[in-house]
Amino acid sequence: MSEAAIHSVTAPVARPELLASLDPLLREWLPRQRWFAGKGRPVTGFSLVTANELLPSTAQLGLLHLLVRAHQPLTPAQGAGTQPGDCYQLLIGVREALPPHLAPALIGHVEEGPLAGHTVYEALHDPRPADVLLEALRTQARIGELRFERDRRQEIPGGLTPRLITAEQSNSSLVFGDTFILKLLRRTVPGVNPDLELPLTLAREGCPRVPAPAAWMAADLGEETYVLGVLQPYVQGAVDGWELALSDLAKESEPANDGCRCGEGFTGEARALGRATAEVHTALARALPTVTLGHVQMELLVGGMTERLTAAAQAVPALRPYAAGLRTAFEALADLATEGQTWTAQRIHGDLHLGQCLRAPSGEWSLIDFEGEPSKPLAERRMPQPPLRDIAGMLRSFDYAAHAVPGALGSARAGAVPPVPDWADTCRAAYCAGYAEVAGRDPRADPVLLRAYETDKAIYEVLYEARHRPDWLPVPMAAIRRLAASP
């Protein structure tokens, strides 16, 4: 599609009859998507935030971009009634009939309204709509409320072959010709999104550990702006840290001929990953304001941790015998703050684990997905926090990997020791040592804060696994026993 064609698209199609015609189809289709956050509660209705035509639906192939708010009943903990609902980004293809290769993308057949007689489907499975998105980014198009921006210092060639990555959960990604990857945020909120803000900041700082955004898309709705997607260089041949760790563990769990496990394994990678994490943290501390956390701020921090422990213990009976021991981790932190100790807080990754790290074939590590925990409010995700929160998340990730090695998960369910019992401890130590090489301070030098964050993370994991993956509950429970017994 030419630049002229992109810019000639007229866009707003925010007609009530459009959403009314799609409503019954979306009620069935949307909750089945892996990135839908409101699972377990029915959708009671939709409201249209905005709708734009990227390709006119009167043509053989139409493409609609919608921001739709899905309304759902409140949970018992939230009270009675219906909440305003999460806002989702939808890219809907429109055809008279769906080709067989697009059958898995089917949303449904529209019976009435402006699209009556047409078939609608998830457009990201179709190369032509994906081409439209890339061309809009490449040419900095304006389509209704949609704004496409780019960094002119990075060349974005046209005609790159798109493919959808199907393994994602909270968002969707398109790879273009093994050159760029477009991450489309599915659940969107207005405001400055850290998934764009922090990589742009790190690019300006010259930090090579995060792919620099080449382009991005947003919706301008009055005084509110929604960041919708970010295009970044694709690290061809890269392996994420989780896959790499499991591959190493699979080898380590098979004894050599002499009966010993002698390989260095993942230790060198963990050290390099620690250095990469520290490079990102130090760059963010240079570029963005830092704050000092004193007694008042730490009192609020400890209060939140204690409240989460109380709620989790009520929901998961297995946690209750350890609650008193876990609480000591938070009390020790509160005592230090009362004595006058302070901590520095800065912008951090916010949801760091092995799956958020990529190792290139060259051996270099990159950190990705700076969105933070999507379930948290945007303002909270953008707050300065101690870097040890990221580090605690990575330390817990090593522990998870040690239990997920093929053949070990069955043992983990039974509460037994995994096949490579020292793997996690060795990687944790190497990661912290690597971090210290760059940051100048070993995270283990602040054991009270580190234990508090690890404890808080393990409590979150217990609640998550009890609700979603009960077979995995022994994994965080092993950490809970260790942390509860720590001095």
Side-chain angles (χ1 to χ4, degrees), residues 18-33 35-36 38-47 66 68-73 82 88 90 92 106-109 120:
L18 172 67
L19 185 58
S21 66
L22 294 174
D23 185 302
L25 303 178
L26 293 179
R27 287 195 194 213
E28 182 178 349
W29 175 81
L30 189 62
R32 297 200 308 265
Q33 306 313 299
W35 39 262
F36 182 69
K39 287 182 168 55
R41 292 177 291 141
V43 174
T44 57
F46 295 99
S47 56
L66 306 181
V68 172
R69 198 170 296 282
H71 302 282
Q72 297 182 272
T82 300
Y88 293 96
L90 308 180
I92 297 179
L106 176 67
I107 295 176
H109 306 283
V120 293

Side-chain angles (χ1 to χ4, degrees), residues 137-138 140 148-156 180 196 199-200 203-204 212-216 231 233:
L137 290 164
R138 200 175 73 83
Q140 293 185 281
F148 298 83
E149 302 285 355
R150 63 171 290 189
D151 180 354
R152 285 286 181 178
R153 293 170 297 181
Q154 296 193 52
E155 181 182 357
I156 305 176
F180 291 100
L196 175 61
L200 281 175
R204 288 193 294 267
W216 52 95
L231 184 77

Side-chain angles (χ1 to χ4, degrees), residues 249 252-255 261 398-399 401-403 405 408 411 416-428 478 482:
L249 273 161
E252 287 284 316
S253 62
E254 299 177 1
R261 304 181 179 105
F398 288 130
D399 196 43
H403 286 79
V405 59
S411 297
V417 177
V420 192
D422 58 344
W423 186 90
D425 290 340
T426 301
C427 289
R428 288 159 61 95
R482 170 177 60 83

